[in-house]
Amino acid sequence: MVAAPSVIAVTPESAYLRQELDGFLAQVDWAGRRGSDPVGVVWEYDSPEDREVAALITASLAYGQVRLLRQAARACLAPLGSSPARVLSAGYKGN
């Protein structure tokens, strides 16, 4: 099983929120659910930078049916290859 994401607590409020969210994550199969969530597209990339680009594009398209959204997100990300962050930082020189 993949470890749940974690947030660094920096204030008493965020420490409380972290405790609550960690408790929630312990009760939910979040990794299993992401396959039906548009945000699951983000986890198809390994580097944090690529995940950030994928998350921005996916969130920008976040409307309608999940299946269609996931297809649209992949269609937008496909021209950027396996490392969208590298392509964008180098300057995209598409067709």
Side-chain angles (χ1 to χ4, degrees):
M1 181 170 186
V2 179
S6 184
V7 176
I8 298 172
V10 293
T11 66
E13 293 82 8
S14 61
Y16 171 76
L17 180 59
R18 178 181 181 166
Q19 179 181 350
E20 292 297 310
L21 291 175
D22 285 346
F24 174 75
L25 286 173
Q27 299 173 24
V28 175
D29 179 18
W30 64 271
R33 290 177 164 220
R34 73 180 179 202
S36 62
D37 188 308
V39 179
V41 171
V42 172
W43 296 97
E44 295 174 8
Y45 296 90
D46 294 326
S47 82
E49 294 85 1
D50 294 330
R51 287 181 181 164
E52 187 171 341
V53 170
L56 175 63
I57 290 172
T58 301
S60 297
L61 299 169
Y63 64 92
Q65 295 183 353
V66 170
R67 181 179 54 80
L68 296 176
L69 173 60
R70 289 174 63 92
Q71 289 174 353
R74 286 192 183 102
C76 288
L77 290 162
L80 302 176
S82 63
S83 183
R86 184 182 69 238
V87 172
L88 292 176
S89 66
Y92 180 68
K93 298 171 183 66
N95 297 337

